[in-house]
Amino acid sequence: MVTFQESQAQAHAMPPGQRGAAIGLYTPEERARRDASGWTLVQGVLAPVQFLVFLISLGLVLRYLATGEGLAWAHASIVVKTGVLYTIMVTGCIWEKVVFGRYLFAPAFFWEDVVSMGVIALHTAYLAALATGALGDQALMGLALAAYATYVINAVQFLLKLRAARLQEAAV
């Protein structure tokens, strides 16, 4: 007979796509660490702040693209959005270490972290292109929109994961 701990170890060794079906999003120990960590609150506060900054910035970018006005505001808002993104990513890595024992790519959040790397890469590419003048303003806004589209995909991933966690907790 396999013990609970052995089944959990086996599930954690599974590829990320199969783990959830075996044990759900969190083991009881991970759930306890998540609930006890102050980083959980930090993530809970930063996520809606980042989304608000995203909406404001998206509006400014679209305004610039539609009217040609407000370029400086659009650039500034993208820089602020990127700063908030970096903050939530660093604190998210700390949260993941506390809950899952690794800074990135814990099986429960593997694909969210993969897409997050793309989000960071696109935002960082924007900052690099802005700082070096490598792209014109229209291309910079296009790059920002690509970064924002990827961010939306990533946000949906996390919302679905949050929903899965709540459903798991309701079932327990």
Side-chain angles (χ1 to χ4, degrees):
M1 177 176 228
V2 177
T3 68
F4 176 77
Q5 287 79 11
E6 290 169 333
S7 70
Q8 298 301 295
Q10 290 169 356
H12 281 284
M14 291 178 165
Q18 296 175 5
R19 179 179 188 260
I23 63 169
L25 187 57
Y26 299 100
T27 65
E29 296 82 12
E30 291 165 348
R31 187 178 306 109
R33 288 191 298 269
R34 179 203 66 193
D35 293 347
S37 175
W39 293 108
T40 302
L41 176 61
V42 169
Q43 291 302 105
V45 169
L46 285 176
V49 167
Q50 180 179 213
F51 190 71
L52 178 62
V53 171
F54 156 73
L55 289 176
I56 292 168
S57 182
L58 178 62
L60 291 168
V61 168
L62 293 175
R63 175 179 177 248
Y64 167 73
L65 290 172
T67 68
E69 297 177 10
L71 177 62
W73 283 100
H75 282 311
S77 72
I78 299 164
V79 171
V80 169
K81 165 66 173 72
T82 304
V84 175
L85 171 69
Y86 287 164
T87 301
I88 200 167
M89 290 305 301
V90 169
T91 59
C93 288
I94 295 167
W95 175 86
E96 205 164 324
K97 175 69 171 169
V98 168
V99 175
F100 297 105
R102 59 174 76 177
Y103 287 105
L104 277 173
F105 306 113
F109 285 92
F110 180 84
W111 291 110
E112 291 78 7
D113 288 349
V114 167
V115 176
S116 291
M117 293 301 104
V119 174
I120 289 172
L122 288 167
H123 280 77
T124 302
Y126 170 87
L127 291 181
L130 179 66
T132 63
L135 297 175
D137 293 326
Q138 294 289 321
L140 280 168
M141 293 302 129
L143 181 55
L145 289 176
Y148 285 5
T150 309
Y151 161 74
V152 168
I153 292 167
N154 199 221
V156 169
Q157 285 181 299
F158 279 105
L159 289 173
L160 291 173
K161 198 62 68 139
L162 178 62
R163 182 176 182 273
R166 289 189 176 160
L167 290 173
Q168 178 190 358
E169 289 174 17
V172 171

